[in-house]
Amino acid sequence: MSLVRVHNFAISLDGFGTGEGQSADLHFGHAGDRLHQWMFATRWWSPGGSSGVDDAFVQRHEPGIGVEIMGAGKFGHPGWHEDPDWKGAWGPNPPFHTPVFVLTHHTRPSIEMEGGTTFHFIDASPAEALAAARAAAPGQDVRLGGGATMIREFLKAGLVDHMHVVVVPILLGRGVRLWDGLEGLEKDYKIETVLSPSGVTHVTFMRAARN
Amino acid sequence: MSLVRVHNFAISLDGFGTGEGQSADLHFGHAGDRLHQWMFATRWWSPGGSSGVDDAFVQRHEPGIGVEIMGAGKFGHPGWHEDPDWKGAWGPNPPFHTPVFVLTHHTRPSIEMEGGTTFHFIDASPAEALAAARAAAPGQDVRLGGGATMIREFLKAGLVDHMHVVVVPILLGRGVRLWDGLEGLEKDYKIETVLSPSGVTHVTFMRAARN
């Protein structure tokens, strides 16, 4: 069965998936790179990195995935839709290598990039976006790429099968919260927590079998 | 040196120290007892309980403590100050056995209980309350008993030396958040995270040495 998966989604101890003040230079606003230093320290990111639990988790984001859905805020900083040449911040060969559906109220023609990534722009509900993504990669899993707002909307719609959240022990104080309005989410999931020597905590949500 | 300590303060994964709708029957509102089941499962709470890491943490709340400061919301449900006979929900012999300073805008004469607990009622800033508490228990540590609002105010005032928070993997969705407005708190503390087999995560904040 095709699953909907979230991987490596980092939040602060106070629940923010991004800081305030996102811009072209600061993709995560005032959080800077503090939510992702654990990832940069893995072997997956750089050859001298660690090959422990952080690396094990980070590497799971790709196998089995045939398509990604991302929010407009991941595709670019606020205002990107006013730039007709904007193709994301990943350069000519983005690291997705699959179709990518960008959720936006400002749709535009699809953009084919090098390396197998094609960006499609849709103004759609979570369920509609998921149907489009599954049609583009039959039988394969769908990754939800973030940010916090779109993941929260998919959670509220009951559409997430697997979610891996990384809690980083910092307090951002402001930004976009992942958890708002998700009371009782634990009832639908088996939750497993694993601590890494790096100081981050990996929290995995696995959907209980559907009736 | 006399330290200011927080012990066993439980929050949900989304950061709530209590749920919504606190009343005489529901001290933690719609959270019920879900934030504290880990504690009830310890040997400290009941003879058949576990004697592992949860028990080790929970037992630290008493040694060295000479006085507690608590918020009005811990002393009673909303409206307790309108009941002249209200003496807390702990019965004639409360489990404190020390002076307890209750922060409230509705002060009343001190109440001496059995077993060494005396409730004092003060309308004071965190620094003022701390001075009063230290005067009542010279040289001994001060415990901050919660709830979330008063702990947050003491953190903002830079008055907390040691804080033990227990993250319970549930999402309450509403209530009183511990973390609001505490951006950068990690800069003043060494933070250690320990996972319990019970599923809760113990996060300890230890103040870095003062200059």
Side-chain angles (χ1 to χ4, degrees), chain A residues 53-54 193-202, chain B residues 192-195 201-202:
Chain A
V53 63
D54 293 344
T193 307
V194 175
L195 180 64
S196 165
S198 70
V200 305
T201 306
H202 298 276
Chain B
E192 183 184 295
T193 308
V194 175
L195 180 65
T201 306
H202 298 276

Side-chain angles (χ1 to χ4, degrees), chain A residues 90-173:
Chain A
W90 300 278
N93 186 351
F96 306 104
H97 314 299
T98 68
V100 174
F101 287 81
V102 179
L103 293 170
T104 173
H105 298 308
H106 304 278
T107 60
R108 55 174 64 183
S110 298
I111 306 174
E112 194 168 339
M113 308 291 287
E114 294 170 23
T117 299
T118 302
F119 292 116
H120 302 290
F121 302 84
I122 56 174
D123 188 358
S125 71
E128 291 165 351
L130 184 54
R134 283 190 157 134
Q140 294 187 273
D141 288 354
V142 179
R143 183 177 52 232
L144 303 183
T149 305
M150 69 88 72
I151 293 176
R152 195 194 315 129
E153 293 306 315
F154 277 74
L155 287 169
K156 282 184 187 171
L159 294 173
V160 180
D161 297 300
H162 169 98
M163 178 167 68
H164 165 227
V165 172
V166 185
V167 182
V168 180
I170 60 174
L171 286 108
L172 289 175

Side-chain angles (χ1 to χ4, degrees), chain A residues 71-88 102-108 111 121:
Chain A
K74 178 173 174 178
F75 187 67
H77 54 280
W80 64 261
H81 63 272
E82 289 168 8
D83 175 358
D85 296 325
W86 180 255
K87 297 176 179 178
V102 179
L103 293 170
T104 173
H105 298 308
H106 304 278
T107 60
R108 55 174 64 183
I111 306 174
F121 302 84

Side-chain angles (χ1 to χ4, degrees), chain B residues 9 11 31 36 63 74-75 128 130 145 154 166 173-174 191 194 196 200:
Chain B
F9 193 75
I11 61 174
H36 301 95
K74 178 171 175 180
F75 187 67
E128 291 164 349
L130 184 54
F154 277 75
V166 185
R174 52 206 164 94
I191 301 177
V194 175
S196 164
V200 306

